[in-house]
DNA sequence: ACTGTCTGTCATGAT
DNA sequence: TTATCATGACAGACA
């Protein structure tokens, strides 16, 4: 729990930084107006504070384009930037990992990540990106750099998890500070109110719960968001669902970007397409957005389609962030899945599995993981195969899409929103049927099959594990309580517990009870023999073998199927005389040879006599002059010395050696059994731990897969979006059947002929297979 | 009487 | 070689 809290705290800080670096401010403001407190708190607070710098950067940058800093132009700017960095981020989708988060936290704020993550999208900064070519001022570049960094964070899952109830006062204070800084920028203070935060936390809790119970919130969140999207929390500007101005500004920004893009790239073959578009998290694929953005943005280059400001996109952004937050919680400790080529540019995988973006999820759907089942529904074949209510969402260039906004947006079916645009080819040229599947390589069949199996396994293992955890908590107490309660004759044992071995089941239990205070955890060191006749003197201090006894109880308690504690306790009446302390053994003196019959002087003599072992009786019969304890436990030298002191017959010596041998073997057997039991218990614990780990890893894997799917869908939509905006010299769109975008390792985006792209895709597809072999 | 468990003992191998 | 230990197998005691 502590680790989780720590992680959440760190995540919050990371997320703060992240958001500050992202240009999501305006969008976030939109979210602020929503009824989704957690986002408002987590996102807005930090972002607004850190965005201050970003904000000014943006302003400076935007000034060059005549965008008013306080106007809705910011929205446009951010939208444009988001698109660019989305495209830019196409080549660095990565599985979020905790390790990476840490790395990001300590990362140089400069944003020069290329060294540590060569293939990351940050490489774009150094690459011949759009900005570089166009020679925009440094401000832009910096902001983009930061944004790229933040995007990386997001891509890597660095988004802070919902803090929920664990939000510490420091966190709140930090957020408060950040918000205060941001108030100047127009961010509504009410959003930062603690009450809001409480609500947010509640929602966060739901989100976290969703991590295990898998998302029941989306619909509500979407509705709430939809209701409140209309007001910009920071600027206070009303933001109607169909805000014409907003798109215009956004369009302008985009237009500028694209213009730069065009200037950079002649849009011929191999034309370089520096994709610097905003963060992925921020820009959950906005199927709606494209139309609106295109609308006015790309006037010279693109045929714009009109659409209102994209509410759906914002909603999706929100959902994306929330998803990542929720994901973060569960993936806090995961590093395993990160083995997937982290920096592997999408170019590597981009066209590996064209038109098969979703089929991998079949196994997921089949998985019956309880907690995740609902999430799986997002990717379930049925859902994915469902006809998108508004296919236009996937077709940015279709002007008529805007009209369908409400229908789609109103839908609570997330699956529909995240629906991959694979089927849209008919409606739009840009939405080519050959849309590559950049992430297909990450979701290979084997991986998914494994997940399916793990899902099945987890169902079996998870609950038992939890149960065992609870049982372990009871464990220590249960053993003692059972033990003490079980010894009905403890009182009777008190009479002769110091020196007598138990003669019956009752006395034996007394022995065990007395031993409870003196037994040594490590192995049986004592020895006591069965008693057949009364001999109080000789009776060796019978010390019950508490450890083994308790362990049996424990084990049986943990798993009733293995051992039934009660039945075992019934058998406790046996002579559990292990681990007798050497001192107790020494206390037993030589038995008076004549006391073969019950001594009337000692009441317990009867019982004790019965407790005598066969060897003891034999020894007495043979008139062995020393106790069996000594015979057995004395060191060899002392034992030999002892033997030398007496004139013993051959029969006596033989008996003594047998007694010693048997006695030692007896203890050895006890130790052996104890070890065996310990081994079993340890194995049991190991199994439980492994089951827990397995369940945890499976959850993490599921989360990763989910995020991967989302990112893949983002990529698809962005691909279509970007591709759809590309125009050749004549202003005509490129045919997706003839051209394709390809991402290179340095972050640049190339427009290459489809044939070449397919060829490269095939080539890269073989590599992983070869590696496997 | 039967059964399961615990325990002691033996045989055997290892140290 | 002897002593000791470890362990499987067996049998007796016990509930």
């Amino acid at each position: 729990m502590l680790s989780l809290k720590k992680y959440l705290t760190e995540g919050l800080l990371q997320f703060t930084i992240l958001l500050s670096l992202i240009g999501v401010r305006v969008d976030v403001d939109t979210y602020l107006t929503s009824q989704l407190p957690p986002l408002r708190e987590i996102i807005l607070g930090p972002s607004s504070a850190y965005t201050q710098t970003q904000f000014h950067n943006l302003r400076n940058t935007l000034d060059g384009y005549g965008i008013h800093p306080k106007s809705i132009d910011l929205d446009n700017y951010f939208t444009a930037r988001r698109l660019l960095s989305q495209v830019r981020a196409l080549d660095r989708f990565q599985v979020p990992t905790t390790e990476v988060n840490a790395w990001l936290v300590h990362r140089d704020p400069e944003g020069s990540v290329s060294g540590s993550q060569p293939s990351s999208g940050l490489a774009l900064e150094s690459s011949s990106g759009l900005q570089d070519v166009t020679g925009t001022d440094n401000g832009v570049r910096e902001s983009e750099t930061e944004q790229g960094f933040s995007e990386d964070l997001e891509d890597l899952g660095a988004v802070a998890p919902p803090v929920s109830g664990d939000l510490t006062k420091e966190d709140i204070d930090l957020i408060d500070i950040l918000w205060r800084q941001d108030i100047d920028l127009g961010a509504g203070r009410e959003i930062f109110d603690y009450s809001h935060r409480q609500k947010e936390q509640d929602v966060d809790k739901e989100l976290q719960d969703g991590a295990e119970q898998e998302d029941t919130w989306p619909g509500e969140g979407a509705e709430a968001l939809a209701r409140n999207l209309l007001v910009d929390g920071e600027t206070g500007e009303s933001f109607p669902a169909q805000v014409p101005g907003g798109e215009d500004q956004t369009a302008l920004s985009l237009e500028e970007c694209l213009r730069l893009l065009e200037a950079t790239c002649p849009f011929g073959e191999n034309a370089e397409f520096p994709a610097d578009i905003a963060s992925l998290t921020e820009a959950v694929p906005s199927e709606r957005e494209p139309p609106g953005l295109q609308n006015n943005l790309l006037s010279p280059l693109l045929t714009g389609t009109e659409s209102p400001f994209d509410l759906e996109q914002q909603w999706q952004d929100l959902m994306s962030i929330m998803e990542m937050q929720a994901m973060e919680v569960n993936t806090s400790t995961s590093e395993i899945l990160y083995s997937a080529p982290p920096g592997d540019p999408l170019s590597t995988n981009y066209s590996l599995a064209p038109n098969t973006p979703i089929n991998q999820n079949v196994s997921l759907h089949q998985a019956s993981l309880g907690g995740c089942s609902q999430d799986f529904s997002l990717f379930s074949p049925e859902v994915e195969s469902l006809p998108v209510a508004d296919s236009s969402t996937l077709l940015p260039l279709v002007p008529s899409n805007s009209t369908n906004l409400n229908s789609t947006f109103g839908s609570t079916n997330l699956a529909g929103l995240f629906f991959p645009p694979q089927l849209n080819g008919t409606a739009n040229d840009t939405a080519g049927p050959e849309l590559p599947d950049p992430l297909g390589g990450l979701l290979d069949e084997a991986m998914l099959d494994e997940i399916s199996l793990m899902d099945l396994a987890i169902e079996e293992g998870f609950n038992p594990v939890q149960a065992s955890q609870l049982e372990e908590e009871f464990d220590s107490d249960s053993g003692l309580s059972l033990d003490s309660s079980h010894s009905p004759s403890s009182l009777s044992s008190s009479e002769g517990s110091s020196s007598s071995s138990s003669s019956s089941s009752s006395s034996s239990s007394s022995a065990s009870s007395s031993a409870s205070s003196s037994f040594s955890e490590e192995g049986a060191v004592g020895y006591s023999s069965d008693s057949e006749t009364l001999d109080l003197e000789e009776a060796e201090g019978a010390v019950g073998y508490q450890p083994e006894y308790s362990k049996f109880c424990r084990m049986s308690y943990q798993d009733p199927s293995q051992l039934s504690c009660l039945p075992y306790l019934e058998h406790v009446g046996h002579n559990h005389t292990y681990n007798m302390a050497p001192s107790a053994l020494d206390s037993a003196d030589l038995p008076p040879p004549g006391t073969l019959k019950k001594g009337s002087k000692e009441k317990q003599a009867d019982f004790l006599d019965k407790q005598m072992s066969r060897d003891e009786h034999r020894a007495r019969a043979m008139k062995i002059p020393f106790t069996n304890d000594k015979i057995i436990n004395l060191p060899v030298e002392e034992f030999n010395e002892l033997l030398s002191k007496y004139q013993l017959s051959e029969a006596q010596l033989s008996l003594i050696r047998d007694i010693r041998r048997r006695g030692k073997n007896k203890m050895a057997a006890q130790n052996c059994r104890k070890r065996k039991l310990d081994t079993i218990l340890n194995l049991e614990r190991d199994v439980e731990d492994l089951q827990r780990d397995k369940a945890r890893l499976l959850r993490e894997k599921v989360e990763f897969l989910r995020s991967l799917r989302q990112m893949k869908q983002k990529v698809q939509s962005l691909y279509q979006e970007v591709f759809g905006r590309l125009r050749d010299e004549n202003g005509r769109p490129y045919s997706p059947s003839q051209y394709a975008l390809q991402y290179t390792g340095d972050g640049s985006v190339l427009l290459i002929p489809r044939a070449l792209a397919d060829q490269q895709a095939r080539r890269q597809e073989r590599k992983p297979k070869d590696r496997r072999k």
Side-chain angles (χ1 to χ4, degrees):
Chain A
M1 200 57 193
L2 289 176
S3 61
L4 175 63
K5 182 175 182 180
K6 179 183 177 184
Y7 181 81
L8 291 174
T9 302
E10 292 177 354
L12 178 63
L13 293 176
Q14 295 175 14
F15 191 62
T16 300
I17 297 170
L18 171 107
L19 289 175
S20 68
L21 295 174
I22 300 175
V24 296
R25 168 135 191 86
V26 173
D27 290 338
V28 171
D29 288 341
T30 305
Y31 297 145
L32 286 175
T33 60
S34 69
Q35 297 298 327
L36 295 174
L39 283 178
R40 210 186 305 151
E41 173 181 0
I42 293 174
I43 297 173
L44 253 196
S47 68
S48 53
Y50 282 95
T51 304
Q52 194 166 6
T53 302
Q54 187 68 20
F55 185 86
H56 296 302
N57 269 344
L58 291 175
R59 190 180 305 182
N60 296 335
T61 300
L62 293 173
D63 286 342
Y65 298 100
I67 298 174
H68 193 280
K70 266 296 186 181
S71 68
I72 197 167
D73 297 348
L74 286 176
D75 293 337
N76 301 326
Y77 171 80
F78 281 111
T79 302
R81 232 179 49 161
R82 184 191 56 234
L83 288 174
L84 283 176
S85 70
Q86 281 177 345
V87 173
R88 187 172 146 216
L90 288 176
D91 65 338
R92 47 191 165 80
F93 284 124
Q94 295 172 358
V95 178
T97 67
T98 303
E99 290 181 352
V100 174
N101 291 341
W103 170 77
L104 290 170
V105 168
H106 298 293
R107 194 165 156 277
D108 184 357
E110 293 296 331
S112 58
V113 195
S114 59
S116 56
Q117 197 169 9
S119 61
S120 70
L122 294 174
L124 287 173
E125 263 64 51
S126 59
S127 65
S128 60
L130 172 65
Q131 303 301 337
D132 293 343
V133 175
T134 57
T136 55
D137 59 1
N138 293 334
V140 172
R141 195 175 301 177
E142 287 179 1
S143 64
E144 289 187 353
T145 301
E146 292 178 357
Q147 187 170 355
F149 172 33
S150 63
E151 289 174 5
D152 270 4
L153 284 174
E154 290 184 353
D155 292 345
L156 297 172
V159 178
V163 184
S164 80
D166 286 339
L167 189 66
T168 62
K169 187 178 184 301
E170 291 79 3
D171 295 335
I172 296 173
D173 291 340
L174 174 61
I175 293 173
D176 267 335
I177 293 170
L178 297 176
W179 301 65
R180 270 189 226 106
Q181 294 178 357
D182 203 39
I183 290 173
D184 295 339
L185 299 178
R189 175 64 184 176
E190 67 284 0
I191 358 178
F192 313 136
D193 287 347
Y194 188 76
S195 61
H196 285 271
R197 244 176 260 141
Q198 294 294 345
K199 295 178 182 177
E200 293 169 358
Q201 290 178 7
D202 292 341
V203 176
D204 280 350
K205 286 180 179 177
E206 293 180 1
L207 286 177
Q208 285 183 341
D209 291 342
E212 303 203 347
Q213 304 222 350
E214 298 305 334
D215 308 344
T216 57
W217 50 269
E220 298 176 359
E223 293 175 0
L225 179 60
R227 287 194 301 270
N228 297 280
L229 273 176
L230 302 181
V231 176
D232 184 336
E234 177 178 354
T235 60
E237 294 176 354
S238 62
F239 214 32
Q242 297 180 353
V243 176
E247 301 120 18
D248 292 344
Q249 295 303 332
T250 302
L252 259 179
S253 302
L254 258 183
E255 183 177 359
E256 291 298 334
C257 294
L258 290 173
R259 197 177 296 161
L260 294 173
L261 204 166
E262 185 183 18
T264 304
C265 325
F267 290 113
E269 294 184 2
N270 298 333
E272 194 168 4
F273 187 83
D276 265 351
I277 296 186
S279 65
L280 286 176
T281 51
E282 182 184 5
V284 177
S286 59
E287 292 92 355
R288 295 297 179 183
E289 182 177 358
L293 293 176
Q294 293 174 350
N295 201 355
N296 299 328
L297 306 176
L298 313 172
S299 53
L301 301 175
L302 305 175
T303 62
T305 61
E306 292 192 359
S307 74
F309 186 78
D310 189 359
L311 292 179
E312 180 183 3
Q313 188 231 318
Q314 290 190 2
W315 181 82
Q316 288 178 347
D317 291 351
L318 175 64
M319 294 304 295
S320 174
I321 294 171
M322 294 174 74
E323 280 287 337
M324 300 193 84
Q325 288 176 338
M327 179 177 64
E328 186 83 354
V329 174
N330 288 334
T331 59
S332 60
T333 58
S334 67
E335 312 106 7
I336 295 172
L337 292 180
Y338 195 61
S339 60
D344 212 29
L346 282 181
S347 60
T348 307
N349 299 324
Y350 191 67
S351 57
L352 292 180
N355 295 332
T356 59
I358 297 170
N359 54 2
Q360 300 93 328
N361 289 325
V362 174
S363 61
L364 282 176
H365 176 69
Q366 292 171 345
S368 58
L369 179 63
C372 301
S373 60
Q374 293 182 352
D375 280 347
F376 281 105
S377 65
L378 290 175
F379 316 121
S380 64
E382 299 97 297
V383 174
E384 290 175 350
S385 64
L386 288 175
V388 180
D390 183 9
S391 61
S392 64
T393 58
L394 303 175
L395 305 176
L397 296 180
V398 176
S400 62
N401 291 342
S402 61
T403 59
N404 295 330
L405 174 65
N406 291 335
S407 63
T408 301
F409 187 73
S411 174
T412 58
N413 187 352
L414 280 180
L417 294 177
F418 292 121
F419 199 97
Q422 57 184 2
L423 302 176
N424 297 329
T426 58
N428 190 343
D429 292 344
T430 60
E434 299 174 354
L435 181 66
D437 182 8
L439 299 177
L442 297 176
L443 298 173
D444 59 317
E445 289 293 333
M447 181 177 179
L448 293 169
D449 289 344
E450 183 183 0
I451 289 175
S452 297
L453 294 176
M454 292 182 71
D455 289 343
L456 295 177
I458 201 171
E459 278 191 346
E460 299 174 356
F462 191 63
N463 289 335
V465 168
Q466 290 178 334
S468 64
Q469 288 176 336
L470 293 175
E471 289 169 358
E472 283 183 356
E473 293 179 359
F474 286 111
D475 187 16
S476 59
D477 293 339
S478 65
L480 292 175
S481 62
L482 288 173
D483 179 21
S484 60
S485 63
H486 172 68
S487 59
S489 62
S490 59
L491 292 176
S492 65
S493 68
S494 64
E495 294 177 353
S497 61
S498 62
S499 62
S500 66
S501 64
S502 58
S503 62
S504 66
S505 62
S506 63
S507 62
S508 68
S509 66
S510 68
S512 66
S513 65
S514 64
S516 63
S517 61
S518 64
F519 82 85
S520 96
E521 180 67 20
E522 290 300 324
V525 294
Y527 170 79
S528 73
S529 58
D530 297 339
S531 66
E532 293 173 355
T533 62
L534 173 66
D535 188 352
L536 177 61
E537 302 293 340
E538 167 143 353
E540 292 137 2
V543 179
Y545 183 49
Q546 185 63 23
E548 185 169 278
Y549 168 71
S550 63
K551 284 185 178 180
F552 266 110
C553 288
R554 177 189 183 193
M555 189 166 75
S556 61
Y557 189 79
Q558 285 179 335
D559 190 357
S561 64
Q562 294 179 356
L563 291 175
S564 177
C565 188
L566 291 177
Y568 174 81
L569 291 174
E570 291 176 357
H571 293 284
V572 172
H574 290 299
N575 292 334
H576 293 217
T577 56
Y578 316 152
N579 285 348
M580 184 175 66
S583 61
L585 294 175
D586 292 340
S587 65
D589 276 341
L590 181 67
T595 60
L596 293 177
K597 293 182 179 180
K598 300 175 182 178
S600 59
K601 51 185 176 182
E602 299 286 345
K603 290 183 180 179
Q604 68 246 26
D606 295 339
F607 305 99
L608 298 177
D609 184 60
K610 292 178 182 176
Q611 285 297 101
M612 277 180 63
S613 67
R614 291 187 291 259
D615 280 339
E616 286 170 341
H617 286 289
R618 292 192 200 105
R620 190 179 300 117
M622 294 289 290
K623 298 183 179 353
I624 303 299
F626 30 80
T627 65
N628 285 19
D629 293 336
K630 290 180 179 177
I631 292 173
I632 296 168
N633 293 311
L634 282 177
V636 183
E637 294 178 358
E638 295 183 26
F639 176 70
N640 292 330
E641 193 175 338
L642 181 66
L643 291 180
S644 65
K645 290 179 182 176
Y646 297 88
Q647 291 293 337
L648 299 172
S649 66
E650 199 58 33
Q652 285 177 316
L653 289 176
S654 177
L655 177 61
I656 288 171
R657 288 197 172 84
D658 285 343
I659 290 171
R660 184 176 175 89
R661 176 179 54 79
R662 281 192 288 264
K664 288 194 174 294
N665 185 253
K666 182 180 177 180
M667 289 187 294
Q670 292 168 351
N671 289 330
C672 181
R673 285 170 177 140
K674 178 178 178 291
R675 276 192 300 272
K676 196 181 292 182
L677 186 61
D678 289 341
T679 301
I680 292 171
L681 292 175
N682 288 333
L683 288 174
E684 188 183 32
R685 274 192 292 270
D686 292 343
V687 169
E688 292 172 358
D689 292 341
L690 289 174
Q691 284 177 340
R692 271 192 291 271
D693 292 343
K694 191 176 180 181
R696 177 179 54 81
L697 291 174
L698 179 58
R699 285 196 301 270
E700 293 171 357
K701 199 169 189 176
V702 168
E703 292 297 332
F704 284 132
L705 282 176
R706 186 172 57 173
S707 66
L708 272 177
R709 173 147 310 274
Q710 292 178 350
M711 287 189 288
K712 187 173 69 175
Q713 292 171 353
K714 292 176 190 174
V715 170
Q716 290 173 341
S717 64
L718 288 170
Y719 179 91
Q720 289 181 343
E721 199 172 325
V722 171
F723 191 87
R725 285 188 171 84
L726 295 178
R727 295 294 183 274
D728 58 12
E729 302 81 0
N730 300 327
R732 291 174 300 190
Y734 287 95
S735 171
S737 61
Q738 296 177 355
Y739 294 96
L741 292 178
Q742 189 182 57
Y743 305 92
T744 61
D746 61 357
S748 61
V749 180
L750 302 178
L751 181 66
I752 62 174
R754 170 66 70 182
L756 181 60
D758 293 341
Q759 184 179 352
Q760 292 180 354
R762 263 182 253 111
R763 202 182 310 144
Q764 292 173 349
E765 193 174 9
R766 293 181 198 131
K767 290 182 180 177
K769 291 182 179 177
D770 293 341
R771 289 174 187 170
R772 289 177 188 170
K773 295 176 184 175

